[in-house]
Amino acid sequence: MDTAELEVQSQLALFQYIEATQFTLLCYDYFLTLDWEISRYWRRGITIPTVLFFANRYGTLLGNVPVVMMNFWTAPESPSKGQVCAALDFYHETFIITIQVIIGVMLILRTYALYERNGRILGFMLVFSASIICIGVGSTIYTNHKAPATDQEPVLPLSIGCVSPVTQAESKGLIIAWSAMGLFDCMIFSLTLYKTLSRRRPKGLNLLSLLMRDGCIYFGVMVISNLCNILSFVFGTPYTRGLFNTTTNIISSLMISRLMLNIRDPALAKDVNSDSQDSSAVQWGVGVFSTQLESMPPRRTMAAEWV
């Protein structure tokens, strides 16, 4: 084995270590929060947020099974394996887009509820999101279509996994696509920040402070994750470009699940039902994304209709 092959093997080993770590994190977080899921979602009625929560949580958990196979499937190189790998690669790309769309819808509904179902805010978010999708898809298609014939990387016969090299042209399109996703996160964070800071917040635990705290954590984690992913395309080698694609997808899924679980924290229900809570906290109580307000008087806000 020459030096070039050894270098590629080391790149593939790094890729597989990171993949194994992120799949372990996904399973670990699932079992770590399973009790919360049972108490806060299994025993509640079926609502739009509930359906989205389960679609994201179990879609990510079960949908990554073929991805694990793609990265760790051991079989001799053959035409049939090449066909399977091509199908798995297409599935992986489609799967990432699907999970990101589900997460985007959850974030839009969360912000829409926070703004009391303001139609202008919803329209702005939908137009912005559509623009992001067009930029990401358009840039990927354009760069791949315009790629020079010389911009090709040799595909090595691998017995483990289906890792294929990423060309520089493909990198440019993916950099733009993931940067666009970062802009979407910035938009959601800015709207959440503005709404939270523009309202008088009561002391103690309340939904507004929770939304602000979780929104900041989500935004910060996703900025770091997206940045690492983009840098892998900029500075990586053919077999390490996109090293954090799956990582970013899994982390964003875990983060939005945590946001949804936190919003149904029973401590928030106690705070909303207390006599000392002022009207703004009651109005923006846990009914925004849960069914915890069922024990309260019939007075419900428009945002609470999204339960």
Side-chain angles (χ1 to χ4, degrees):
M1 184 178 295
D2 58 23
T3 305
E5 291 180 347
L6 285 174
E7 179 64 25
V8 171
Q9 289 296 335
S10 64
Q11 295 172 24
L12 293 175
L14 175 63
F15 183 90
Q16 290 166 349
Y17 290 149
I18 292 179
E19 293 291 306
T21 300
Q22 62 200 14
F23 295 139
T24 302
L25 175 64
L26 176 63
C27 295
Y28 175 75
D29 186 81
Y30 171 76
F31 289 108
L32 191 66
T33 58
L34 183 58
D35 288 345
W36 289 359
E37 176 189 323
I38 293 173
S39 62
R40 301 177 189 185
Y41 278 91
W42 288 17
R43 302 171 184 175
R44 305 293 174 180
I46 301 299
T47 64
I48 294 177
T50 300
V51 172
L52 290 172
F53 172 82
F54 284 118
N56 167 66
R57 189 161 167 89
Y58 287 94
T60 303
L61 185 66
L62 300 178
N64 270 293
V65 173
V67 180
V68 174
M69 178 182 176
M70 183 181 73
N71 290 308
F72 299 101
W73 175 33
T74 302
E77 184 66 24
S78 65
S80 60
K81 180 179 180 180
Q83 294 176 356
V84 174
C85 285
L88 287 173
D89 187 60
F90 176 78
Y91 165 81
H92 189 206
E93 294 178 356
T94 306
F95 172 68
I96 289 178
I97 294 173
T98 302
I99 294 300
Q100 290 301 314
V101 168
I102 292 174
I103 292 172
V105 171
M106 294 169 73
L107 290 173
I108 288 175
L109 286 180
R110 182 175 180 269
T111 308
Y112 181 43
L114 182 61
Y115 276 82
E116 298 184 88
R117 295 177 64 188
N118 187 307
R120 290 178 297 178
I121 294 297
L122 177 62
F124 167 75
M125 289 190 293
L126 292 178
V127 171
F128 193 94
S129 301
S131 302
I132 291 297
I133 294 174
C134 291
I135 291 173
V137 174
S139 62
T140 303
I141 294 176
Y142 178 80
T143 52
N144 290 343
H145 179 70
K146 294 295 183 179
T150 56
D151 187 19
Q152 299 294 332
E153 299 290 345
V155 179
L156 299 181
L158 303 175
S159 60
I160 300 178
C162 299
V163 181
S164 57
V166 179
T167 65
Q168 291 184 349
E170 291 172 332
S171 294
K172 294 177 182 178
L174 292 170
I175 288 172
I176 296 174
W178 283 107
S179 298
M181 286 300 302
L183 289 177
F184 175 82
D185 291 334
C186 289
M187 181 266 293
I188 294 293
F189 174 73
S190 299
L191 290 174
T192 302
L193 178 64
Y194 173 79
K195 188 64 176 181
T196 305
L197 296 182
S198 64
R199 298 183 62 87
R200 181 171 63 90
R201 289 176 292 171
K203 296 181 180 180
L205 180 65
N206 59 85
L207 188 66
L208 290 177
S209 60
L210 177 71
L211 289 175
M212 185 59 201
R213 183 201 69 186
D214 285 0
C216 288
I217 294 174
Y218 178 88
F219 179 75
V221 171
M222 291 314 302
V223 164
I224 295 173
S225 182
N226 270 321
L227 181 60
C228 291
N229 198 28
I230 291 171
L231 290 178
S232 74
F233 286 110
V234 175
F235 300 106
T237 60
Y239 284 92
T240 59
R241 291 171 184 150
L243 189 64
F244 300 103
N245 267 345
T246 305
T247 302
T248 302
N249 198 48
I250 287 178
I251 288 178
S252 61
S253 175
L254 295 181
M255 292 297 296
I256 195 66
S257 293
R258 289 282 185 154
L259 263 62
M260 297 291 287
L261 288 169
N262 286 346
I263 283 181
R264 291 197 175 184
D265 188 343
L268 285 175
K270 295 178 182 178
D271 187 56
V272 168
N273 288 319
S274 64
D275 295 335
S276 61
Q277 183 75 298
D278 78 24
S279 59
S280 65
V282 173
Q283 180 181 6
W284 289 98
V286 290
V288 172
F289 250 104
S290 75
T291 56
Q292 298 278 2
L293 285 182
E294 292 176 353
S295 60
M296 295 189 63
R299 177 189 170 208
R300 295 168 64 92
T301 64
M302 296 181 71
E305 294 177 10
W306 284 103
V307 302

